Amino acid sequence: MALMEIVEYPDKRLKQRSEPVEAVTDETRQLARDMAETMYHVGGIGLAAIQVGVPLRMLVCDVAPPEEPRCLLTLINPEILKSEGEVCSEEGCLSVPGSFEEVKRAARVTVRYLDLAGNAQSIEADGLLSICLQHEIDHLNGVLFIDRLSSLKRKLAVRRTQRHQQERDQQATLKQEA
Ligand code: ZN
């Protein structure tokens, strides 16, 4: 098991379209474990492979509240088959730290994917899971949640993230010097 480094805005890799996983192998399963460990370590509810620099169509998510048992889902080559309704809710992203904005998405989705054994599965999701899956599948297509905002809101979100990154990096430098 290994923690992986999270790719952050404005890294160009976040804009690229990820490639399908051709075969689910031990390597795929190891990557899924490392992604899950990284997601839990940073307290996220979802992580796409490109967010750790791997351009493959794969994501992990766990939207269970912290006090409840873990409920990890790994989706390989996920595809939205059906989406219904509309909701607006606040989102953040491990790759765009420090910014949270309301994003409009489908309320319910049906997603087809391969599981870690390489079997075809499908899941019907609503609520937080539906939003999380749409957010992560966007990553596989090179789309960030800030790309779904108006240009003004997007600019503000980018500025907040840049400020967050600067302050964090300054604190890290101070710690090193201390
Ligand atoms: Zn994200």
Side-chain angles (χ1 to χ4, degrees), residues 17 46 50-51 56 71 92 129-130 145 154:
R17 198 182 153 82
I50 193 61
Q51 292 182 275
L56 286 174
C71 184
L129 180 59
S130 163
F145 82 98
R154 187 175 189 282

Side-chain angles (χ1 to χ4, degrees), residues 51 92-95 135-136 139:
Q51 292 182 275
C93 179
L94 296 173
S95 295
H135 176 118
E136 300 310 328
H139 274 299

Side-chain angles (χ1 to χ4, degrees), residues 81 110-114 119-124:
L81 293 183
T110 306
V111 178
R112 178 169 63 189
Y113 65 98
L114 297 178
N119 296 320
Q121 304 281 358
S122 81
I123 185 170
E124 280 174 40

Side-chain angles (χ1 to χ4, degrees), residues 65-86:
E67 65 277 12
E68 279 179 28
R70 283 181 176 181
C71 184
L72 177 66
L73 280 173
T74 302
L75 280 72
I76 298 163
N77 299 341
E79 235 181 295
I80 296 178
L81 293 183
K82 199 165 103 180
S83 45
E84 288 174 307
E86 200 177 270

Side-chain angles (χ1 to χ4, degrees), residues 1 65 134 158 177:
M1 301 276 263
Q134 292 174 74
V158 164
E177 284 172 354

Side-chain angles (χ1 to χ4, degrees), residues 2 18 26 115 155:
S18 294
D26 285 344
D115 65 19
K155 262 184 215 148

